[in-house]
Amino acid sequence: DAKTTQPPSMDCAEGRAANLPCNHSTISGNEYVYWYRQIHSQGPQYIIHGLKNNETNEMASLIITEDRKSSTLILPHATLRDTAVYYCIVRSPMNTGFQKLVFGTGTRLLVSP
Amino acid sequence: DVKVTQSSRYLVKRTGEKVFLECVQDMDHENMFWYRQDPGLGLRLIYFSYDVKMKEKGDIPEGYSVSREKKERFSLILESASTNQTSMYLCAIENALNTEAFFGQGTRLTVV
């Protein structure tokens, strides 16, 4: 699986958009980008994933650059409850063989009042 | 609601004891994972399983073994607990399509 690079920490004001970047310059053509987050003292929680098109769900939006070498997770109106560690993961689809789910160290997002 | 249940939230064991951490799911998912999480090191994959009786080593399997006799249950075994195995242990499940993983609440194990 391709490696990812994320900033160790970011700050965001409550109510503003939080834009979390992820670099994955060695991503392969069939690898997906996944995002998870981990709120303190809880297990990680799935947020969103995508291949090349931008994706949106009730939690967030995922913007993947055209060359797929980087992506941004957008929380449109951050709340204090969004304070967490956010993990960007690149992974091949299942039809290429079983894929481990491996986490890096993520970005610690602090949302302040 | 997805349920991934880990047998204990907090556990204290003595050095040299055999320790069993149990994970039970109610989603009929094929893939199950065990991680440990330590400050500054993030989540590290210990073992995973993609089917009953199938198991694969993750990135840090030393000192651990696993058992999956039934689809819904994945056990992590510390044959002889050591103080460096003090950690938060997290179980996760995932369907065969790798769409999203669900995690348990974790077991904080202290080995004294």
Side-chain angles (χ1 to χ4, degrees), chain A residues 34 36 38 41-46 49 87 91-94 97-105, chain B residues 9 31 33 35 37 40-43 45 48 50 59 90 94 96-101 103-105:
Chain A
Y34 288 77
Y36 283 78
Q38 186 174 20
S41 299
Q42 297 182 20
Q45 175 191 25
Y46 166 84
H49 75 283
Y87 299 96
R91 203 169 175 214
S92 297
M94 186 60 187
F98 182 81
Q99 299 295 322
K100 299 189 296 186
L101 179 58
V102 177
F103 289 76
T105 50
Chain B
R9 192 85 168 95
N31 303 339
F33 305 81
Y35 296 86
Q37 185 167 31
L41 296 176
L43 280 111
L45 181 63
F48 59 97
Y50 52 88
D59 299 318
L90 287 152
E94 186 185 49
L97 298 176
N98 294 354
T99 47
E100 64 180 286
F103 282 78
Q105 283 295 86

Side-chain angles (χ1 to χ4, degrees), chain B residues 72-89:
Chain B
E72 68 270 17
R73 188 180 296 267
F74 191 36
S75 303
L76 180 70
I77 304 157
L78 288 66
E79 294 289 341
S80 178
S82 64
T83 54
N84 63 11
Q85 292 178 310
T86 291
S87 186
M88 169 69 84
Y89 290 88

Side-chain angles (χ1 to χ4, degrees), chain B residues 47-60:
Chain B
Y47 267 96
F48 59 97
S49 169
Y50 52 88
D51 203 350
V52 176
K53 297 193 187 295
M54 305 303 290
K55 58 188 179 185
E56 296 287 342
K57 292 180 180 179
D59 299 318
I60 52 163

Side-chain angles (χ1 to χ4, degrees), chain A residues 68-111:
Chain A
R68 302 205 331 116
K69 293 183 186 299
S70 66
S71 60
T72 301
L73 179 76
I74 300 172
L75 310 177
H77 305 287
T79 70
L80 299 180
R81 285 190 298 255
D82 292 321
T83 291
V85 178
Y86 288 78
Y87 299 96
C88 169
I89 300 165
V90 170
R91 203 169 175 214
S92 297
M94 186 60 187
N95 61 8
T96 62
F98 182 81
Q99 299 295 322
K100 299 189 296 186
L101 179 58
V102 177
F103 289 76
T105 50
T107 296
R108 185 173 298 277
L109 175 68
L110 176 63
V111 181

Side-chain angles (χ1 to χ4, degrees), chain A residues 22-27 64-71:
Chain A
C22 180
N23 285 324
H24 31 79
S25 58
T26 59
I27 193 169
I64 302 174
T65 58
E66 196 167 337
D67 63 8
R68 302 205 331 116
K69 293 183 186 299
S70 66
S71 60

